[in-house]
Amino acid sequence: MGMDRVQLHAGATSVFWPNAALRAGKTPSRGERPPSKATEAPMPKIRAGNLTMNYDQQGSGEPLVLIPYLAADYACYAFQVPDYSKRFTCLSVDLRGTGDSDKPSGAYSTEMFADDVAALMQAVGVSKAHIFGLSLGAATGIWLAAKYPDRVKS
């Protein structure tokens, strides 16, 4: 499965749905066919510190950074972002080594991921944000709050 599509599960059935459609707030209904891949827009990438990071931005309001769990990319929050983006500017990220972000060799750590997220926030002009993560994303958020308390609202 390419990173440009999300595998959605409905009981025993799976369908691959374009990320761009989900980013646009298009939630598939049962039995609906996904739109053509040709309609997808590329995700933005930005130089954050010493690597290029892939991210998605949707909505308006206070910034909310969504940090994925282990081995996941930004699309792990595809079902939450349409609702969150009604109140927040959602920044969903691909951490180093996942999705379309750079994959440098060597060991990674949650502290390193926190440094990357702080660099991404600076690069996109977000001085302070709410931070959300599950599992690895939560551990990264804790490091972010510990090292960069001035960047974390909650």
Side-chain angles (χ1 to χ4, degrees):
M1 172 173 69
M3 289 307 197
D4 61 337
R5 294 184 175 277
V6 177
Q7 185 174 10
L8 305 178
H9 300 280
T13 305
S14 294
V15 64
F16 294 97
W17 199 265
N19 288 337
L22 295 171
R23 285 195 307 272
K26 174 79 173 147
T27 304
S29 60
R30 182 170 283 230
E32 186 176 359
R33 296 184 58 100
S36 163
K37 184 176 177 175
T39 64
E40 292 184 44
M43 290 206 19
K45 292 183 181 183
I46 196 160
R47 192 79 182 160
N50 61 354
L51 75 154
T52 300
M53 291 184 71
N54 194 47
Y55 73 100
D56 181 45
Q57 181 174 330
Q58 292 184 54
S60 61
E62 291 187 3
L64 171 64
V65 176
L66 300 159
I67 306 172
Y69 46 86
L70 184 64
D73 65 3
Y74 81 97
C76 69
Y77 297 113
F79 289 106
Q80 291 80 18
V81 168
D83 285 330
Y84 295 167
S85 65
K86 292 174 185 173
R87 182 167 177 212
F88 297 99
T89 299
C90 297
L91 292 168
S92 305
V93 303
D94 282 349
L95 295 173
R96 71 171 58 214
T98 65
D100 288 331
S101 288
D102 285 350
K103 297 165 183 62
S105 61
Y108 300 167
S109 69
T110 50
E111 182 178 9
M112 183 184 298
F113 292 144
D115 292 339
D116 294 344
V117 171
L120 175 105
M121 289 172 63
Q122 182 176 353
V124 298
V126 172
S127 59
K128 197 168 199 167
H130 300 282
I131 307 298
F132 180 84
L134 297 171
S135 188
L136 174 73
T140 300
I142 291 168
W143 266 108
L144 186 66
K147 286 188 78 172
Y148 306 95
D150 57 319
R151 292 205 161 268
V152 177
K153 285 188 176 189
S154 67

Coordinates of all heavy atoms in Angstrom, one line a residue, residues 8-11 13-17 26-35:
L8 N -8.9 1.8 5.0 CA -10.0 1.9 5.9 C -10.6 0.6 6.1 O -10.8 -0.2 5.1 CB -11.1 2.9 5.4 CG -10.6 4.3 5.0 CD1 -11.7 5.2 4.5 CD2 -9.9 5.0 6.2
H9 N -11.0 0.3 7.3 CA -11.6 -1.0 7.6 C -13.0 -0.9 8.0 O -13.4 0.0 8.8 CB -10.8 -1.7 8.7 CG -9.4 -2.0 8.4 ND1 -9.0 -3.0 7.6 CD2 -8.3 -1.3 8.8 CE1 -7.7 -3.0 7.5 NE2 -7.2 -1.9 8.2
A10 N -13.9 -1.7 7.4 CA -15.3 -1.7 7.8 C -15.7 -3.2 7.9 O -16.0 -3.8 6.9 CB -16.2 -1.0 6.7
G11 N -15.6 -3.7 9.1 CA -15.9 -5.1 9.3 C -14.8 -5.9 8.6 O -13.6 -5.7 8.8
T13 N -14.3 -5.8 5.4 CA -14.0 -5.2 4.1 C -13.0 -4.1 4.3 O -13.1 -3.3 5.3 CB -15.3 -4.6 3.5 OG1 -16.2 -5.6 3.5 CG2 -15.0 -4.0 2.2
S14 N -12.0 -4.0 3.4 CA -11.0 -2.9 3.4 C -11.2 -2.2 2.1 O -11.4 -2.8 1.1 CB -9.6 -3.4 3.6 OG -9.4 -4.0 4.8
V15 N -11.0 -0.9 2.1 CA -11.0 -0.1 0.9 C -9.8 0.9 1.1 O -9.5 1.4 2.2 CB -12.3 0.7 0.7 CG1 -12.6 1.7 1.8 CG2 -12.3 1.3 -0.7
F16 N -9.1 1.2 0.0 CA -8.1 2.2 0.0 C -8.7 3.5 -0.4 O -9.2 3.7 -1.5 CB -6.9 1.8 -0.9 CG -6.3 0.5 -0.4 CD1 -6.6 -0.7 -0.9 CD2 -5.3 0.6 0.6 CE1 -6.0 -1.8 -0.4 CE2 -4.7 -0.5 1.1 CZ -5.0 -1.7 0.6
W17 N -8.5 4.6 0.4 CA -9.1 5.9 0.2 C -8.0 6.9 0.1 O -7.1 6.9 0.9 CB -10.1 6.2 1.3 CG -11.0 7.2 1.0 CD1 -10.9 8.6 1.2 CD2 -12.3 7.1 0.3 NE1 -12.0 9.2 0.8 CE2 -12.8 8.4 0.2 CE3 -13.0 6.0 -0.2 CZ2 -14.1 8.6 -0.4 CZ3 -14.2 6.2 -0.7 CH2 -14.7 7.5 -0.8
K26 N -13.7 14.7 3.3 CA -14.6 13.7 2.6 C -14.5 12.4 3.4 O -13.5 11.8 3.4 CB -14.1 13.5 1.2 CG -14.8 12.4 0.4 CD -16.2 12.9 0.0 CE -16.8 11.8 -0.9 NZ -18.2 11.7 -0.8
T27 N -15.6 12.1 4.1 CA -15.6 10.8 4.8 C -16.4 9.8 4.0 O -17.5 10.1 3.6 CB -16.3 11.0 6.2 OG1 -15.6 12.0 6.9 CG2 -16.2 9.7 7.0
P28 N -15.8 8.7 3.7 CA -16.5 7.7 2.8 C -17.7 7.1 3.6 O -17.7 6.8 4.7 CB -15.4 6.7 2.6 CG -14.4 6.8 3.7 CD -14.5 8.2 4.1
S29 N -18.7 6.9 2.8 CA -19.9 6.1 3.3 C -19.8 4.7 2.9 O -19.0 4.4 1.9 CB -21.2 6.7 2.9 OG -21.3 6.7 1.4
R30 N -20.5 3.8 3.5 CA -20.4 2.4 3.2 C -20.7 2.1 1.8 O -21.7 2.6 1.2 CB -21.4 1.6 4.1 CG -21.3 0.1 3.9 CD -22.1 -0.6 4.9 NE -21.3 -0.6 6.1 CZ -21.0 -1.6 6.8 NH1 -21.6 -2.7 6.5 NH2 -20.3 -1.5 7.9
G31 N -19.8 1.4 1.1 CA -20.0 1.0 -0.3 C -19.6 2.1 -1.3 O -19.6 1.9 -2.5
E32 N -19.2 3.3 -0.8 CA -18.8 4.4 -1.7 C -17.4 4.1 -2.3 O -16.5 3.6 -1.5 CB -18.8 5.7 -1.0 CG -18.5 6.9 -1.9 CD -18.6 8.2 -1.1 OE1 -18.9 8.2 0.1 OE2 -18.4 9.2 -1.8
R33 N -17.2 4.3 -3.6 CA -15.9 4.0 -4.2 C -15.1 5.3 -4.0 O -15.5 6.4 -4.1 CB -16.1 3.8 -5.7 CG -16.9 2.5 -5.9 CD -17.0 2.2 -7.4 NE -15.6 2.1 -7.9 CZ -15.0 1.0 -8.2 NH1 -15.6 -0.2 -8.0 NH2 -13.8 0.9 -8.7
P34 N -13.8 5.0 -3.8 CA -12.9 6.2 -3.6 C -12.7 6.9 -4.9 O -12.8 6.4 -6.0 CB -11.5 5.5 -3.2 CG -11.7 4.1 -3.4 CD -13.1 3.8 -3.6
P35 N -12.5 8.3 -4.8 CA -12.2 9.0 -6.0 C -10.9 8.6 -6.7 O -10.1 8.0 -6.1 CB -12.2 10.5 -5.5 CG -11.9 10.4 -4.1 CD -12.4 9.1 -3.6

